[in-house]
Amino acid sequence: AVPREIANCVNLEMLVLNDNFITEIPPDFGSLVNLKVLSIDNNKLRSIPDDIRFLTKLEKLYLGNNEISVIPSAFGRLAALVISARDKDLAETFAREVARRAPRADQIEVLGPAEAPISIVRGRHRWRLLVKAPRDKNIQGYLKAWGEALPKIGGDLRLTVDIDPYNFL
């Protein structure tokens, strides 16, 4: 377990707790207000405390290979859009068009497009967009309206949507 006293290290900017069989993060973790990098890969975490929302300077959060099944409410709602095609230019061009046609909405942010971290899967080039919204926003309704504004998807193009994605590869 992570000692509760860690919360007293308010000037801490980087914390690496990888490979420690950690099962929970202390609830007062939010007091680490200067934390920029938090890496807790390869542990046994099942959840992240909502206090993580107080880490406003956090730039990088690594949670890979844990047992987390729910994205904390502090993160709001997320939707990942993945555009793929065998032709790299076609995938990129369509991803940029999808981003251009994103409806304007209060408190909903569209990030991207960006080439996926694993950019080619089974011969298909992949581009990603990420939609961030507060929990109380109807992200499905937003995505439906956005989809209706898109040109017809045909040929080799594919568009997949993942609500509250488990990973971003």
Side-chain angles (χ1 to χ4, degrees):
V2 179
R4 292 185 76 99
E5 293 78 20
I6 193 99
N8 297 328
C9 301
V10 294
N11 292 319
L12 193 64
E13 292 186 6
M14 176 186 270
L15 182 58
V16 178
L17 298 169
N18 300 341
D19 305 304
N20 283 296
F21 300 100
I22 296 169
T23 57
E24 65 179 17
I25 296 173
D28 47 356
F29 218 65
S31 65
L32 300 175
V33 294
N34 290 304
L35 199 61
K36 293 181 181 176
V37 177
L38 175 58
S39 184
I40 317 175
D41 286 337
N42 302 312
N43 283 288
K44 301 290 182 188
L45 290 175
R46 290 192 177 99
S47 66
I48 304 295
D50 280 337
D51 276 7
I52 202 162
R53 72 181 178 275
F54 298 120
L55 304 181
T56 58
K57 294 184 180 177
L58 193 64
E59 297 170 3
K60 296 183 180 181
L61 175 63
Y62 301 100
L63 297 169
N65 201 17
N66 277 287
E67 299 172 5
I68 299 168
S69 59
V70 176
I71 295 174
S73 62
F75 291 114
R77 301 288 310 271
L78 300 174
L81 282 72
V82 179
I83 292 97
S84 69
R86 294 198 184 285
D87 179 89
K88 182 179 182 178
D89 292 335
L90 177 63
E92 180 181 1
T93 300
F94 190 72
R96 293 189 187 288
E97 182 63 18
V98 168
R100 190 182 71 73
R101 293 188 184 210
R104 303 264 185 248
D106 287 340
Q107 298 182 309
I108 295 181
E109 184 178 7
V110 176
L111 306 172
E115 203 167 18
I118 300 175
S119 62
I120 302 173
V121 174
R122 294 185 199 109
R124 300 184 65 80
H125 296 269
R126 301 174 338 124
W127 284 75
R128 299 182 60 90
L129 292 105
L130 182 65
V131 180
K132 282 178 35 177
R135 281 248 172 243
D136 63 343
K137 290 289 182 179
N138 179 0
I139 198 166
Q140 285 91 346
Y142 176 83
L143 292 169
K144 183 176 189 260
W146 190 1
E148 291 169 354
L150 294 178
K152 184 178 180 198
I153 300 170
D156 188 43
L157 278 170
R158 289 187 194 150
L159 170 64
T160 57
V161 178
D162 187 1
I163 305 292
D164 292 329
Y166 186 70
N167 71 52
F168 293 97
L169 296 177

